[in-house]
Amino acid sequence: MDKGEATIETGATKSSEGHESKIGRVQAVGYHIPQDMVAEVLAKLPAKSLMRFRCVCKTWSSLIRDPFFVKLHQNQSLNKPCKTGLLMSSKHQLFNSHFVFADHEGKQALEEDTISIPKSSNVLGIANGLACIVNDKHRISVYNLSTRESTTIPPPPQEIRFQDRLSFGFDPLANEYKIVKFCAHDKEQFEIFTLGAERWRRINRKHYNFYGGTKWYDFKEAICVNGVIYWMVKSMAESLKINLHSFDVHGEKFQKVAVPGNGLCLFSDLIQIEGCLAVIQDSECGNKFKLKMLQDYHNNVWTHKIIDIPLGPKDVRYPTLAGTLGTGEILILDDHFSGCFRLFYSDMRSKRLRSAKIALPSFFGENKWKRYYANHYSQTGENDGSWLYSASVFSFHHVENILPLEEDGQGFI
């Protein structure tokens, strides 16, 4: 072998947690790179680079697909300042919905990073860079927003009906992603699917008989925080009664969550603040928000918090509080947009405020949009002020994930 010529061998190694993983060992005349070091260096790279590096050799391709390395890379991603993602959705059948991104400094991502969702599809949830989507034919798929791979979920034993609720969540204890299907009007139809499994399974009945036979319907979108899915529901027997229900993704148990004080109202919203579920009760003068934060889910311990956003009416008249970032900043959404969408980042300690703009795809970039309720916006006619189209804007923290989803290959346009 000539001096400097490298060979790549395969060796088995164990992590500190005891998981065995095949990691490549790079050797050259006079040089030796430990396999653990190779993995540690590669795990710090962005997902796009790792997808290219799979072509370097079979060893690296195998390493990048290895479950231990996937988890190592995910942990690295969680410790980095994450991107801000926006899901721009429209109910109009002629227009696609889109994922657009900005980095932690608010810089616009490349146009090629914008992801288009197939028409007539709804996003059930987003967890660690995976998006669960169902189309108008009730076909469920999971898409990896980092690798653009997707997989189709087998249909559940009981056909999905209009009144069924589908939710997507992540179990951090078992490192598993799950889809939950249930119907508020039929106690027999509670099923769950774990990503990577072959079939759906029923949830033990004793864990979900929590609403006492009272019929209810879901109200606003669900949110998954620390392995628990939360959603607001309205009682059909009590027109103004709104409850907070939850599903523990790991323990696979439903329960009703008691909210202190006056509970929930039509204008309440659920967000994530500092790693906890927070209920936005109301706002004063548009820039001061009163929150109730669930500090301990199992013991139902709540605290109160007031967040004062340093924004004036000239900046945003009716800001939307979207949650906190890994940097400790509060993310605020604009109440109107045209051509681009404005994001505001507020440091809660220093009260420093910065802003960013994200260019939008053509349909959302045309004319003017105004917020009329929660995260919902309307596009109005220039002359008569009538509504032309409606759209929704949801923000999320985008965490890079290289979890393999190979069944369908390239899932997005």
Side-chain angles (χ1 to χ4, degrees):
M1 181 185 299
D2 295 334
K3 186 176 182 179
E5 182 182 352
T7 62
I8 303 176
E9 301 176 357
T10 301
T13 185
K14 285 190 177 181
S15 68
S16 58
E17 299 176 352
H19 300 295
E20 186 171 288
S21 172
K22 291 183 178 179
I23 297 178
R25 176 189 302 167
V26 180
Q27 278 188 312
V29 175
Y31 301 97
H32 171 71
I33 303 178
Q35 55 264 44
D36 287 343
M37 183 179 296
V38 173
E40 290 289 344
V41 171
L42 292 180
K44 299 178 185 298
L45 299 178
K48 185 179 293 186
S49 298
L50 291 176
M51 293 303 100
R52 293 198 305 265
F53 289 170
R54 286 167 50 193
C55 301
V56 171
C57 62
K58 292 182 179 180
T59 301
W60 278 23
S61 178
S62 177
L63 165 63
I64 293 170
R65 292 294 197 183
D66 185 273
F68 165 69
F69 182 80
V70 170
K71 180 62 176 176
L72 179 63
H73 182 267
Q74 179 180 314
N75 291 337
Q76 293 282 355
S77 299
L78 289 170
N79 292 327
K80 296 178 182 177
C82 61
K83 292 182 179 179
T84 299
L86 292 181
L87 170 60
M88 313 291 296
S89 301
S90 173
K91 298 299 182 182
H92 199 287
Q93 295 182 353
L94 296 180
F95 301 102
N96 290 40
S97 298
H98 299 269
F99 287 102
V100 293
F101 303 93
D103 65 18
H104 68 282
E105 295 180 350
K107 295 179 181 178
Q108 171 84 46
L110 299 175
E111 185 175 353
E112 64 187 36
D113 292 330
T114 297
I115 300 174
S116 175
I117 304 172
K119 297 180 178 67
S120 302
S121 298
N122 292 320
V123 177
L124 302 178
I126 303 169
N128 291 340
L130 301 186
C132 186
I133 298 177
V134 59
N135 65 13
D136 56 350
K137 296 181 181 180
H138 297 152
R139 179 188 177 190
I140 305 174
S141 299
V142 175
Y143 294 88
N144 189 318
L145 300 177
S146 299
T147 65
R148 310 295 177 93
E149 295 177 344
S150 67
T151 185
T152 300
I153 305 302
Q158 297 289 335
E159 183 181 1
I160 299 175
R161 300 177 297 179
F162 173 76
Q163 64 267 37
D164 289 345
R165 154 63 74 178
L166 292 164
S167 295
F168 181 63
F170 175 65
D171 172 11
L173 297 178
N175 195 36
E176 293 179 334
Y177 299 86
K178 297 180 181 180
I179 303 169
V180 186
K181 170 185 173 289
F182 55 93
C183 178
H185 310 294
D186 188 348
K187 297 181 184 180
E188 298 301 323
Q189 290 196 29
F190 281 67
E191 298 163 314
I192 192 166
F193 183 86
T194 302
L195 189 62
E198 296 182 355
R199 60 180 62 89
W200 293 73
R201 52 189 172 81
R202 289 280 177 87
I203 303 175
N204 194 321
R205 178 169 181 166
K206 68 179 181 180
H207 294 328
Y208 59 76
N209 187 20
F210 65 97
Y211 50 84
T214 302
K215 292 184 177 181
W216 50 267
Y217 61 93
D218 59 291
F219 176 68
K220 297 188 178 181
E221 292 74 14
I223 180 174
C224 185
V225 181
N226 290 334
V228 179
I229 301 174
Y230 301 90
W231 68 101
M232 296 166 58
V233 298
K234 292 181 66 176
S235 169
M236 298 182 71
E238 305 170 88
S239 58
L240 297 180
K241 181 70 172 180
I242 300 176
N243 296 315
L244 180 63
H245 288 183
S246 68
F247 176 75
D248 185 334
V249 183
H250 181 73
E252 298 184 354
K253 296 181 181 180
F254 289 94
Q255 74 177 46
K256 182 187 293 184
V257 181
V259 181
N262 296 326
L264 303 173
C265 67
L266 292 173
F267 301 102
S268 299
D269 278 309
L270 305 178
I271 61 173
Q272 180 171 318
I273 295 289
E274 299 173 348
C276 300
L277 174 76
V279 175
I280 303 178
Q281 201 63 20
D282 54 32
S283 61
E284 299 177 358
C285 303
N287 63 348
K288 185 175 291 187
F289 295 87
K290 293 181 179 180
L291 306 179
K292 296 177 181 178
M293 297 178 59
L294 183 57
Q295 298 286 353
D296 187 337
Y297 169 73
H298 297 286
N299 296 308
N300 199 45
V301 177
W302 293 78
T303 58
H304 295 267
K305 188 180 186 70
I306 295 179
I307 294 182
D308 193 356
I309 304 298
L311 281 171
K314 294 183 180 180
D315 298 312
V316 182
R317 189 173 182 181
Y318 302 108
T320 299
L321 194 64
T324 52
L325 304 175
T327 58
E329 295 173 303
I330 289 284
L331 176 64
I332 306 108
L333 305 183
D334 206 342
D335 60 355
H336 66 279
F337 61 91
S338 178
C340 61
F341 196 94
R342 286 195 304 172
L343 303 172
F344 295 90
Y345 302 84
S346 175
D347 189 306
M348 291 191 292
R349 293 183 178 179
S350 66
K351 301 298 182 182
R352 184 176 66 91
L353 183 72
R354 60 189 179 91
S355 62
K357 293 182 178 181
I358 298 181
L360 302 177
S362 59
F363 170 66
F364 297 98
E366 297 170 353
N367 298 325
K368 296 180 179 180
W369 296 77
K370 293 183 178 179
R371 183 166 69 91
Y372 67 89
Y373 173 72
N375 296 81
H376 301 278
Y377 295 73
S378 64
Q379 186 185 85
T380 58
E382 294 183 1
N383 297 325
D384 56 6
S386 60
W387 288 14
L388 298 178
Y389 303 108
S390 64
S392 58
V393 180
F394 295 96
S395 66
F396 61 96
H397 308 324
H398 177 55
V399 177
E400 287 201 331
N401 195 334
I402 58 172
L403 182 70
L405 300 175
E406 297 181 305
E407 179 187 322
D408 296 339
Q410 300 295 319
F412 282 110
I413 299 174

